[in-house]
């Protein structure tokens, strides 16, 4: 009797292999052959899950984005009740990927971001991820009492700041601590109005 294959698990393993390779050498270092080897699968097994490299990359992008989103939601749901202002800070800290334990995710995320500039297939899921983050922050800012006419611009500013801080930490322009100070200084100015 043929063995049953858990396709969702296989796709997850492949996505993790893509992310590890992207972390090591960017998306240009991701080939079907290398992914298969890293995932411990045959090339045929990878190709049965994904018809093209682009399809595989889109899945890996959604995988890493989902992992970050789950961590943000877990952080917001953890611990005692928190103020809306502190919830905004927690969510921004998680999205910024500043902590050392998230450095690998930051490299992978920025590799996908750079490639999305020339790949509509990757740009679409990134825009969807940014839209979800915008909705989250719009809700948090509304709960924190930020005026409606300011919210949209503030959300976009916050997301741009988060991405910029991620890049600055990765290239060594800022330390993790200094980037966190910049983020918190921005939020302090927002709360002071």
């Amino acid at each position: 009797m043929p063995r049953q294959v858990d396709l969702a698990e296989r796709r997850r393993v492949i996505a993790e292999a893509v992310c590890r390779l992207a972390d090591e050498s960017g998306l240009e270092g991701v080939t079907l052959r290398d992914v298969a080897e890293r995932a411990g699968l045959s090339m045929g097994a990878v190709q049965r899950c994904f018809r093209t490299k682009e399809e595989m990359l889109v899945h890996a992008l959604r995988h890493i984005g989902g992992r970050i989103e789950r961590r943000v939601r877990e952080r917001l749901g953890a611990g005692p009740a928190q103020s809306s202002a502190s919830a905004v800070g927690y969510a921004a800290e998680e999205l910024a990927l500043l902590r050392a334990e998230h450095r690998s995710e930051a490299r992978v995320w920025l590799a996908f971001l750079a490639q999305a500039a020339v790949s509509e297939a990757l740009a679409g899921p990134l825009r969807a991820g940014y839209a979800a983050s915008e909705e989250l922050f719009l809700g948090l800012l509304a709960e924190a009492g930020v005026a409606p006419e300011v919210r949209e611009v503030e959300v976009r500013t916050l997301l741009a700041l988060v991405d910029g801080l991620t890049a600055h930490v990765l290239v060594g322009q800022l330390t993790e601590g200094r980037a966190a100070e910049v983020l918190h200084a921005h939020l302090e100015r927002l709360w002071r109005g």
Side-chain angles (χ1 to χ4, degrees):
M1 180 176 224
R3 188 172 56 121
Q4 288 283 43
V5 174
D6 182 345
L7 286 179
E9 175 61 14
R10 182 170 283 175
R11 289 169 65 90
R12 185 196 66 75
V13 167
I14 292 168
E16 286 293 329
V18 168
C19 290
R20 284 191 307 275
L21 288 166
D23 179 31
E24 293 166 10
S25 56
L27 290 183
E28 52 281 348
V30 176
T31 67
L32 287 173
R33 183 176 311 284
D34 290 339
V35 168
E37 184 179 311
R38 187 62 62 97
L41 299 168
S42 69
M43 279 190 59
V46 173
Q47 290 171 322
R48 281 189 289 283
C49 288
F50 302 103
R51 293 183 313 260
T52 65
K53 178 181 176 180
E54 183 176 78
E55 190 179 294
M56 181 179 67
L57 291 177
V58 167
H59 177 75
L61 171 58
R62 287 185 174 130
H63 173 77
I64 190 120
R67 190 166 62 197
I68 295 166
E69 180 185 338
R70 280 188 299 280
R71 195 171 53 245
V72 169
R73 296 213 181 268
E74 286 170 7
R75 175 96 187 261
L76 292 176
Q82 53 198 344
S83 72
S84 299
S86 63
V88 171
Y90 291 153
E93 286 172 359
E94 290 298 331
L95 283 178
L97 303 170
L98 299 179
R99 292 194 306 272
E101 65 263 25
H102 299 142
R103 206 73 80 231
S104 174
E105 282 181 342
R107 284 188 294 271
V108 172
W109 183 255
L110 287 181
F112 276 115
L113 183 61
Q115 189 63 32
V118 295
S119 169
E120 181 56 33
L122 292 174
L126 272 174
R127 284 192 301 270
Y130 281 126
S133 294
E134 286 177 5
E135 287 302 312
L136 171 70
F137 280 112
L138 282 170
L140 292 172
L141 291 176
E143 289 174 21
V146 174
E149 63 275 9
V150 176
R151 281 185 217 142
E152 187 174 326
V153 169
E154 185 53 45
V155 165
R156 296 219 167 111
T157 301
L158 191 55
L159 290 175
L161 176 61
V162 161
D163 275 352
L165 290 173
T166 303
H168 282 241
V169 169
L170 281 180
V171 300
Q173 178 66 21
L174 291 174
T175 65
E176 173 186 332
R178 185 66 182 124
E181 288 173 11
V182 169
L183 177 60
H184 292 289
H186 173 76
L187 290 173
E188 284 298 318
R189 283 191 301 278
L190 172 65
W191 305 137
R192 284 195 304 262

